[in-house]
Amino acid sequence: GPKVLQIPSHQIIDMGQMVTLNCDPVSNHLYFYWYKQILGQQMEFLVNFYNGKVMEKSKLFKDQFSVERPDGSYFTLKIQPTALEDSAVYFCASSLLGAEQFFGPGTRLTVL
Amino acid sequence: GDSVTQTEGLVTLTEGLPVMLNCTYQSTYSPFLFWYVQHLNEAPKLLLKSFTDNKRPEHQGFHATLHKSSSSFHLQKSSAQLSDSALYYCALSDIGSNNRIFFGDGTQLVVKP
């Protein structure tokens, strides 16, 4: 079936540094999403993105977070600067029509 | 507004017994409902989705029926298997929801021998 890829699978950085998480969505999909899952907890919505714009963001999407998809390449989540509480697995998802979503395998971010 | 409620955080049962995970929802229009399953250290995957013609979706022995009168989309399986142990999310997509899926908090299903 359709596959979403995420790069890297693991990332370890020091608090205060910048990190960019990359998502390669399904090729013809139009809607893109980021979710955050702290170890042992439920997955939580961060942001959705369509036609070059943020459609909606949650309270978890702090000012230090930003998303973009320049020229139809990777859909990225940038955190600058990072904080300890940003340690989590970040899942990217994409959707063709904004209904059924396909998830990537996740990026495990560890902030030291 | 749109929301999904899963009342059980954890369901533990013995292999071979029936499974039922509860899901109720609130929506403004006429939503699509989904069940996603997340196994340990894996990404969520779509398990089931509701049909517009009210057919009952089935996959891997699981089924769910959309009841608009009670706003429910409970997940059921006649006989649990050890491999069913996972985190199950009920989710909703609605017109005018900014093309966002609203996920419930998830129900952790643990199947014991």
Coordinates of all heavy atoms in Angstrom, one line a residue, chain B residues 17-96:
Chain B
L17 N -11.6 -15.1 24.1 CA -12.8 -14.4 24.5 C -13.1 -13.3 23.5 O -12.2 -12.8 22.8 CB -12.7 -13.8 25.9 CG -12.6 -14.8 27.1 CD1 -12.4 -14.1 28.4 CD2 -13.8 -15.7 27.1
P18 N -14.4 -12.9 23.5 CA -14.8 -11.8 22.6 C -14.2 -10.4 23.0 O -14.0 -10.2 24.2 CB -16.3 -11.8 22.6 CG -16.7 -12.4 23.9 CD -15.6 -13.4 24.2
V19 N -14.0 -9.6 22.0 CA -13.5 -8.2 22.2 C -14.5 -7.2 21.9 O -15.2 -7.4 20.9 CB -12.2 -8.0 21.3 CG1 -11.7 -6.6 21.6 CG2 -11.1 -9.0 21.6
M20 N -14.7 -6.2 22.7 CA -15.5 -5.1 22.4 C -14.8 -3.8 22.9 O -14.7 -3.7 24.2 CB -16.9 -5.2 22.8 CG -17.7 -3.9 22.4 SD -19.5 -4.3 22.4 CE -20.1 -2.6 22.7
L21 N -14.4 -2.9 22.1 CA -13.8 -1.6 22.5 C -14.8 -0.5 22.1 O -15.3 -0.4 21.0 CB -12.5 -1.4 21.8 CG -11.4 -2.5 21.9 CD1 -10.1 -2.1 21.3 CD2 -11.2 -2.9 23.4
N22 N -15.1 0.3 23.1 CA -16.1 1.3 22.9 C -15.6 2.6 22.3 O -14.5 3.0 22.5 CB -16.8 1.7 24.3 CG -17.6 0.6 24.9 OD1 -18.3 -0.1 24.2 ND2 -17.4 0.4 26.2
C23 N -16.5 3.1 21.4 CA -16.2 4.4 20.8 C -17.5 5.2 20.6 O -18.4 4.6 19.9 CB -15.5 4.2 19.5 SG -15.3 5.7 18.5
T24 N -17.6 6.4 21.1 CA -18.7 7.3 20.8 C -18.1 8.6 20.3 O -17.0 8.9 20.5 CB -19.6 7.5 22.0 OG1 -18.8 8.0 23.1 CG2 -20.3 6.2 22.5
Y25 N -19.0 9.3 19.6 CA -18.5 10.5 18.9 C -19.5 11.6 18.9 O -20.7 11.4 19.1 CB -18.0 10.2 17.5 CG -19.2 9.8 16.6 CD1 -19.9 10.7 15.9 CD2 -19.5 8.4 16.5 CE1 -21.0 10.4 15.1 CE2 -20.6 8.1 15.6 CZ -21.3 9.0 14.9 OH -22.3 8.6 14.1
Q26 N -19.0 12.8 18.7 CA -19.8 14.0 18.5 C -19.4 14.6 17.2 O -18.1 14.7 16.9 CB -19.6 15.0 19.6 CG -20.3 14.7 20.9 CD -20.3 15.9 21.9 OE1 -19.2 16.4 22.1 NE2 -21.4 16.3 22.4
S27 N -20.3 14.9 16.3 CA -20.0 15.5 15.0 C -21.0 16.5 14.6 O -22.2 16.4 15.0 CB -19.8 14.5 14.0 OG -21.0 13.9 13.6
T28 N -20.6 17.4 13.8 CA -21.5 18.5 13.3 C -22.3 18.0 12.1 O -23.5 18.3 12.0 CB -20.7 19.7 12.9 OG1 -19.9 20.1 14.0 CG2 -21.6 20.9 12.6
Y29 N -21.7 17.2 11.2 CA -22.3 16.8 10.0 C -22.5 15.3 9.9 O -23.1 14.7 10.9 CB -21.5 17.4 8.8 CG -21.4 18.9 8.8 CD1 -20.3 19.5 9.2 CD2 -22.5 19.7 8.5 CE1 -20.2 20.9 9.2 CE2 -22.4 21.1 8.5 CZ -21.3 21.7 8.9 OH -21.2 23.0 8.9
S30 N -22.0 14.7 8.9 CA -22.1 13.3 8.7 C -20.7 12.7 8.6 O -20.2 12.7 7.5 CB -23.0 13.0 7.5 OG -23.2 11.6 7.3
P31 N -20.2 12.2 9.7 CA -18.8 11.9 9.7 C -18.4 10.5 9.1 O -19.3 9.6 9.0 CB -18.4 11.9 11.2 CG -19.7 11.4 11.8 CD -20.8 12.0 11.0
F32 N -17.2 10.3 8.8 CA -16.6 9.0 8.6 C -15.9 8.6 9.9 O -15.3 9.4 10.5 CB -15.5 9.0 7.5 CG -16.1 9.1 6.1 CD1 -16.1 10.3 5.4 CD2 -16.6 8.0 5.5 CE1 -16.7 10.4 4.1 CE2 -17.2 8.1 4.2 CZ -17.2 9.3 3.5
L33 N -16.0 7.3 10.2 CA -15.4 6.8 11.4 C -14.3 5.8 11.1 O -14.5 5.1 10.1 CB -16.4 6.2 12.4 CG -17.1 7.1 13.4 CD1 -16.1 7.6 14.5 CD2 -17.9 8.2 12.7
F34 N -13.2 5.8 11.8 CA -12.1 4.9 11.6 C -11.7 4.2 12.9 O -11.9 4.7 14.0 CB -10.9 5.7 11.1 CG -11.2 6.6 9.9 CD1 -11.6 7.9 10.0 CD2 -10.9 6.1 8.6 CE1 -11.8 8.7 9.0 CE2 -11.1 6.9 7.5 CZ -11.6 8.2 7.7
W35 N -11.1 3.0 12.7 CA -10.3 2.4 13.8 C -8.9 2.2 13.3 O -8.7 1.7 12.2 CB -10.9 1.1 14.2 CG -12.0 1.2 15.2 CD1 -13.3 1.1 14.9 CD2 -11.9 1.4 16.6 NE1 -14.1 1.2 16.1 CE2 -13.2 1.4 17.1 CE3 -10.8 1.5 17.5 CZ2 -13.5 1.6 18.5 CZ3 -11.1 1.7 18.8 CH2 -12.4 1.7 19.3
Y36 N -7.9 2.8 14.1 CA -6.5 2.6 13.8 C -5.9 1.7 14.9 O -6.4 1.7 16.0 CB -5.8 3.9 13.8 CG -5.9 4.7 12.5 CD1 -7.0 5.5 12.3 CD2 -4.9 4.7 11.6 CE1 -7.2 6.3 11.2 CE2 -5.1 5.4 10.4 CZ -6.2 6.2 10.2 OH -6.3 6.9 9.1
V37 N -4.9 0.8 14.5 CA -4.3 0.0 15.5 C -2.8 0.3 15.5 O -2.2 0.5 14.4 CB -4.5 -1.5 15.2 CG1 -4.1 -1.9 13.8 CG2 -3.9 -2.4 16.2
Q38 N -2.2 0.4 16.7 CA -0.8 0.7 16.8 C -0.1 -0.4 17.7 O -0.4 -0.5 18.9 CB -0.6 2.1 17.4 CG 0.9 2.5 17.5 CD 1.1 3.8 18.1 OE1 0.3 4.3 18.9 NE2 2.3 4.4 17.8
H39 N 0.7 -1.2 17.0 CA 1.4 -2.2 17.8 C 2.7 -1.6 18.4 O 3.1 -0.5 17.9 CB 1.8 -3.4 16.9 CG 0.6 -4.3 16.6 ND1 -0.1 -4.2 15.5 CD2 0.1 -5.3 17.3 CE1 -1.1 -5.0 15.5 NE2 -1.0 -5.8 16.6
L40 N 3.3 -2.2 19.4 CA 4.4 -1.6 20.1 C 5.5 -1.2 19.2 O 5.9 -2.0 18.3 CB 4.9 -2.6 21.1 CG 5.9 -2.1 22.2 CD1 5.3 -1.0 23.0 CD2 6.4 -3.3 23.0
N41 N 6.0 0.0 19.3 CA 7.1 0.5 18.5 C 6.8 0.6 17.0 O 7.7 0.6 16.2 CB 8.4 -0.3 18.7 CG 8.8 -0.2 20.2 OD1 8.7 0.9 20.8 ND2 9.3 -1.3 20.7
E42 N 5.5 0.6 16.6 CA 5.2 0.8 15.2 C 4.3 2.0 15.1 O 3.8 2.6 16.0 CB 4.4 -0.5 14.7 CG 5.3 -1.7 14.7 CD 4.6 -2.9 14.1 OE1 3.5 -2.7 13.6 OE2 5.1 -4.0 14.3
A43 N 4.0 2.3 13.8 CA 3.2 3.4 13.5 C 1.7 3.0 13.5 O 1.4 1.8 13.3 CB 3.5 4.0 12.1
P44 N 0.8 3.9 13.7 CA -0.7 3.5 13.6 C -1.0 3.1 12.2 O -0.5 3.7 11.2 CB -1.4 4.8 14.0 CG -0.4 5.6 14.8 CD 0.9 5.3 14.2
K45 N -1.8 2.1 12.1 CA -2.3 1.6 10.8 C -3.8 1.6 10.8 O -4.4 1.2 11.8 CB -1.7 0.2 10.5 CG -0.2 0.2 10.4 CD 0.2 -1.3 10.2 CE 1.7 -1.4 10.2 NZ 2.2 -2.8 10.1
L46 N -4.4 1.9 9.6 CA -5.8 1.8 9.5 C -6.3 0.3 9.6 O -5.8 -0.5 8.9 CB -6.3 2.4 8.2 CG -7.8 2.4 7.9 CD1 -8.4 3.4 8.9 CD2 -8.1 2.8 6.5
L47 N -7.3 0.1 10.5 CA -7.8 -1.2 10.6 C -9.2 -1.3 9.9 O -9.5 -2.2 9.2 CB -8.0 -1.5 12.1 CG -8.6 -2.8 12.5 CD1 -7.7 -4.0 12.1 CD2 -8.8 -2.9 14.0
L48 N -10.1 -0.3 10.2 CA -11.4 -0.3 9.6 C -11.8 1.2 9.3 O -11.4 2.1 10.0 CB -12.4 -0.8 10.6 CG -12.4 -2.3 11.0 CD1 -13.5 -2.5 12.1 CD2 -12.7 -3.2 9.8
K49 N -12.7 1.3 8.4 CA -13.4 2.6 8.2 C -14.9 2.4 7.9 O -15.2 1.4 7.2 CB -12.7 3.4 7.1 CG -12.7 2.8 5.8 CD -11.9 3.7 4.8 CE -11.8 3.1 3.4 NZ -11.0 4.0 2.5
S50 N -15.7 3.3 8.2 CA -17.1 3.2 8.0 C -17.4 3.5 6.5 O -16.7 4.2 5.8 CB -17.9 4.2 8.9 OG -17.5 5.5 8.6
F51 N -18.5 2.9 6.1 CA -18.9 3.1 4.7 C -20.1 4.0 4.6 O -20.9 4.1 5.6 CB -19.3 1.8 4.0 CG -18.1 0.9 3.8 CD1 -17.9 -0.3 4.5 CD2 -17.3 1.1 2.7 CE1 -16.8 -1.1 4.3 CE2 -16.2 0.3 2.5 CZ -16.0 -0.8 3.2
T52 N -20.3 4.7 3.5 CA -21.4 5.6 3.4 C -22.7 4.8 3.2 O -23.8 5.3 3.5 CB -21.2 6.6 2.2 OG1 -20.9 5.8 1.0 CG2 -20.1 7.5 2.5
D53 N -22.6 3.6 2.7 CA -23.8 2.8 2.5 C -24.1 1.9 3.7 O -24.9 1.0 3.5 CB -23.6 1.9 1.2 CG -22.5 1.0 1.3 OD1 -21.8 1.0 2.4 OD2 -22.2 0.2 0.4
N54 N -23.5 2.2 4.8 CA -23.8 1.5 6.1 C -23.5 0.0 6.1 O -23.9 -0.7 6.9 CB -25.3 1.7 6.4 CG -25.6 3.1 6.8 OD1 -24.8 3.8 7.4 ND2 -26.8 3.6 6.4
K55 N -22.7 -0.4 5.1 CA -22.2 -1.8 5.2 C -21.2 -1.9 6.4 O -20.6 -0.9 6.8 CB -21.4 -2.1 3.9 CG -22.2 -2.4 2.7 CD -21.3 -2.8 1.5 CE -22.2 -3.0 0.3 NZ -21.3 -3.3 -0.9
R56 N -21.2 -3.1 6.9 CA -20.3 -3.3 8.1 C -18.9 -3.6 7.7 O -18.7 -4.6 7.0 CB -20.9 -4.4 9.0 CG -20.2 -4.5 10.3 CD -20.8 -5.7 11.1 NE -20.3 -7.0 10.7 CZ -20.4 -8.1 11.4 NH1 -21.2 -8.0 12.5 NH2 -19.9 -9.2 11.0
P57 N -18.0 -2.7 8.0 CA -16.6 -3.0 7.6 C -16.0 -4.1 8.4 O -16.3 -4.2 9.6 CB -15.9 -1.7 7.8 CG -16.6 -1.0 8.9 CD -18.1 -1.5 8.7
E58 N -15.2 -5.0 7.8 CA -14.5 -6.1 8.5 C -13.1 -6.2 8.1 O -12.8 -5.9 6.9 CB -15.2 -7.4 8.3 CG -16.6 -7.5 8.8 CD -17.2 -8.9 8.8 OE1 -16.4 -9.8 8.9 OE2 -18.4 -9.0 8.6
H59 N -12.2 -6.5 9.0 CA -10.8 -6.7 8.6 C -10.1 -7.5 9.7 O -10.2 -7.2 10.9 CB -10.1 -5.4 8.4 CG -8.7 -5.5 7.9 ND1 -8.3 -6.0 6.7 CD2 -7.5 -5.1 8.5 CE1 -7.0 -6.0 6.6 NE2 -6.5 -5.4 7.6
Q60 N -9.4 -8.5 9.4 CA -8.6 -9.4 10.3 C -9.5 -9.9 11.5 O -9.1 -10.0 12.6 CB -7.4 -8.6 10.9 CG -6.4 -8.2 9.8 CD -5.3 -7.3 10.4 OE1 -5.3 -6.9 11.5 NE2 -4.3 -7.1 9.6
G61 N -10.8 -10.1 11.2 CA -11.7 -10.7 12.2 C -12.4 -9.6 13.0 O -13.3 -9.9 13.7
F62 N -11.9 -8.3 12.8 CA -12.6 -7.2 13.5 C -13.7 -6.7 12.7 O -13.6 -6.7 11.5 CB -11.5 -6.1 13.8 CG -10.6 -6.4 14.9 CD1 -9.3 -7.0 14.6 CD2 -10.9 -6.1 16.2 CE1 -8.4 -7.2 15.6 CE2 -10.0 -6.4 17.2 CZ -8.8 -7.0 17.0
H63 N -14.7 -6.2 13.4 CA -15.8 -5.5 12.7 C -16.3 -4.3 13.5 O -16.1 -4.3 14.8 CB -16.9 -6.4 12.2 CG -17.6 -7.1 13.4 ND1 -17.2 -8.3 13.9 CD2 -18.7 -6.7 14.1 CE1 -18.0 -8.6 14.9 NE2 -18.9 -7.7 15.0
A64 N -17.0 -3.4 12.9 CA -17.6 -2.3 13.6 C -18.8 -1.8 12.9 O -18.8 -1.8 11.6 CB -16.6 -1.1 13.8
T65 N -19.8 -1.4 13.6 CA -21.0 -0.9 13.0 C -21.3 0.5 13.4 O -21.2 0.8 14.6 CB -22.2 -1.8 13.4 OG1 -21.9 -3.1 13.0 CG2 -23.5 -1.3 12.7
L66 N -21.5 1.4 12.4 CA -21.8 2.8 12.7 C -23.2 2.9 13.1 O -24.1 2.6 12.3 CB -21.4 3.7 11.5 CG -21.6 5.2 11.7 CD1 -20.8 5.7 12.8 CD2 -21.4 5.9 10.3
H67 N -23.5 3.3 14.3 CA -24.9 3.6 14.7 C -25.1 5.1 14.9 O -24.6 5.6 15.9 CB -25.1 2.8 16.0 CG -25.2 1.4 15.9 ND1 -26.3 0.7 15.2 CD2 -24.4 0.4 16.3 CE1 -26.1 -0.6 15.3 NE2 -24.9 -0.8 15.9
K68 N -25.7 5.7 14.0 CA -25.9 7.2 14.0 C -26.8 7.5 15.2 O -26.7 8.6 15.8 CB -26.4 7.7 12.7 CG -25.4 7.5 11.6 CD -25.9 8.1 10.3 CE -24.9 7.9 9.2 NZ -25.3 8.4 7.9
S69 N -27.8 6.7 15.5 CA -28.7 7.0 16.5 C -28.1 7.1 17.9 O -28.5 7.9 18.7 CB -29.8 5.9 16.6 OG -29.2 4.6 16.8
S70 N -27.1 6.3 18.1 CA -26.3 6.4 19.4 C -24.9 7.0 19.3 O -24.2 7.0 20.2 CB -26.2 5.0 20.0 OG -25.5 4.1 19.1
S71 N -24.6 7.4 18.0 CA -23.3 8.0 17.8 C -22.2 7.1 18.3 O -21.3 7.5 19.0 CB -23.2 9.4 18.5 OG -24.1 10.3 18.0
S72 N -22.2 5.9 17.8 CA -21.2 4.9 18.3 C -20.6 4.2 17.1 O -21.2 4.0 16.0 CB -21.9 3.9 19.3 OG -22.8 3.1 18.6
F73 N -19.4 3.7 17.3 CA -18.7 2.9 16.3 C -17.8 1.9 17.1 O -16.6 1.9 17.0 CB -17.9 3.8 15.4 CG -17.3 3.1 14.2 CD1 -18.2 2.5 13.2 CD2 -16.0 3.2 13.9 CE1 -17.6 2.0 12.1 CE2 -15.4 2.6 12.8 CZ -16.3 2.0 11.9
H74 N -18.4 1.0 17.8 CA -17.7 0.1 18.7 C -17.0 -1.0 17.9 O -17.5 -1.5 16.9 CB -18.6 -0.6 19.7 CG -19.4 0.3 20.5 ND1 -18.9 1.5 21.0 CD2 -20.7 0.3 20.9 CE1 -19.8 2.1 21.7 NE2 -21.0 1.4 21.7
L75 N -15.8 -1.3 18.3 CA -15.0 -2.3 17.6 C -15.2 -3.7 18.3 O -15.1 -3.8 19.5 CB -13.5 -2.0 17.7 CG -12.5 -2.9 17.0 CD1 -12.7 -2.8 15.4 CD2 -11.1 -2.5 17.3
Q76 N -15.4 -4.7 17.5 CA -15.7 -6.0 18.0 C -14.9 -7.1 17.3 O -14.6 -7.0 16.1 CB -17.2 -6.3 17.9 CG -18.1 -5.4 18.8 CD -19.5 -5.7 18.6 OE1 -20.2 -5.3 17.6 NE2 -20.1 -6.4 19.5
K77 N -14.7 -8.2 18.0 CA -14.1 -9.4 17.4 C -14.6 -10.6 18.2 O -14.6 -10.5 19.5 CB -12.6 -9.3 17.5 CG -11.9 -10.5 16.7 CD -10.4 -10.3 16.7 CE -9.7 -11.5 15.9 NZ -8.2 -11.3 15.8
S78 N -14.9 -11.7 17.6 CA -15.5 -12.8 18.3 C -14.6 -13.5 19.2 O -15.0 -14.0 20.2 CB -16.2 -13.7 17.3 OG -15.2 -14.2 16.4
S79 N -13.3 -13.6 18.8 CA -12.3 -14.4 19.6 C -11.0 -13.7 19.5 O -10.3 -13.6 18.5 CB -12.2 -15.8 19.0 OG -11.3 -16.5 19.6
A80 N -10.5 -13.2 20.7 CA -9.3 -12.5 20.7 C -8.0 -13.4 20.6 O -8.0 -14.6 21.1 CB -9.1 -11.8 22.1
Q81 N -7.0 -12.9 19.9 CA -5.8 -13.6 19.7 C -4.7 -12.8 20.4 O -4.8 -11.6 20.6 CB -5.4 -13.7 18.2 CG -6.4 -14.5 17.5 CD -6.1 -14.5 16.0 OE1 -6.2 -13.5 15.3 NE2 -5.7 -15.7 15.5
L82 N -3.6 -13.5 20.8 CA -2.5 -12.9 21.5 C -1.9 -11.7 20.6 O -1.6 -10.7 21.2 CB -1.4 -13.9 21.8 CG -1.7 -15.0 22.7 CD1 -0.5 -16.0 22.8 CD2 -2.1 -14.5 24.1
S83 N -1.9 -11.9 19.3 CA -1.4 -10.9 18.4 C -2.3 -9.6 18.3 O -1.9 -8.6 17.7 CB -1.2 -11.5 17.0 OG -2.4 -12.0 16.5
D84 N -3.4 -9.7 18.9 CA -4.3 -8.5 18.9 C -3.9 -7.5 19.9 O -4.4 -6.3 19.9 CB -5.8 -8.9 19.1 CG -6.3 -9.8 18.0 OD1 -5.9 -9.6 16.9 OD2 -7.2 -10.6 18.3
S85 N -3.0 -7.8 20.8 CA -2.5 -6.9 21.8 C -1.9 -5.7 21.2 O -0.9 -5.8 20.4 CB -1.5 -7.6 22.8 OG -2.1 -8.6 23.5
A86 N -2.5 -4.5 21.4 CA -2.0 -3.3 20.8 C -2.8 -2.1 21.3 O -3.7 -2.3 22.2 CB -2.3 -3.4 19.3
L87 N -2.5 -0.9 20.8 CA -3.3 0.3 21.2 C -4.2 0.6 20.0 O -3.8 0.6 18.9 CB -2.3 1.4 21.4 CG -2.8 2.8 21.8 CD1 -3.6 2.7 23.1 CD2 -1.7 3.8 22.0
Y88 N -5.5 0.8 20.4 CA -6.5 1.0 19.3 C -7.1 2.4 19.5 O -7.5 2.8 20.5 CB -7.6 -0.1 19.5 CG -7.2 -1.5 19.1 CD1 -6.5 -2.2 20.0 CD2 -7.5 -2.0 17.9 CE1 -6.1 -3.5 19.7 CE2 -7.0 -3.3 17.5 CZ -6.3 -4.0 18.5 OH -5.9 -5.3 18.1
Y89 N -7.1 3.1 18.4 CA -7.6 4.4 18.3 C -8.9 4.5 17.5 O -8.9 4.0 16.3 CB -6.6 5.4 17.7 CG -5.4 5.7 18.5 CD1 -4.2 5.1 18.1 CD2 -5.4 6.6 19.5 CE1 -3.0 5.4 18.9 CE2 -4.3 6.9 20.2 CZ -3.1 6.3 19.9 OH -1.9 6.6 20.6
C90 N -9.9 5.0 18.0 CA -11.1 5.4 17.2 C -10.9 6.8 16.7 O -10.4 7.7 17.4 CB -12.4 5.3 18.1 SG -13.9 5.6 17.2
A91 N -11.3 7.1 15.5 CA -11.1 8.4 14.9 C -12.3 8.8 14.0 O -13.0 8.0 13.5 CB -9.8 8.4 14.1
L92 N -12.4 10.1 13.8 CA -13.5 10.7 13.1 C -13.0 11.8 12.1 O -12.1 12.6 12.5 CB -14.4 11.3 14.1 CG -15.6 12.2 13.7 CD1 -16.7 12.2 14.8 CD2 -15.3 13.6 13.4
S93 N -13.6 11.8 11.0 CA -13.4 12.8 10.0 C -14.7 13.4 9.5 O -15.6 12.6 9.3 CB -12.6 12.3 8.8 OG -12.5 13.2 7.8
D94 N -14.8 14.7 9.5 CA -16.1 15.3 9.2 C -15.9 16.5 8.2 O -14.8 17.1 8.1 CB -16.7 15.8 10.5 CG -18.2 16.0 10.4 OD1 -18.8 15.8 9.3 OD2 -18.8 16.4 11.4
I95 N -16.9 16.7 7.5 CA -16.9 17.9 6.6 C -16.7 19.2 7.4 O -17.3 19.3 8.5 CB -18.2 18.0 5.8 CG1 -18.5 16.8 5.0 CG2 -18.2 19.3 4.9 CD1 -19.9 16.7 4.4
G96 N -15.8 20.0 6.9 CA -15.6 21.3 7.7 C -14.7 21.1 8.9 O -14.6 22.0 9.7

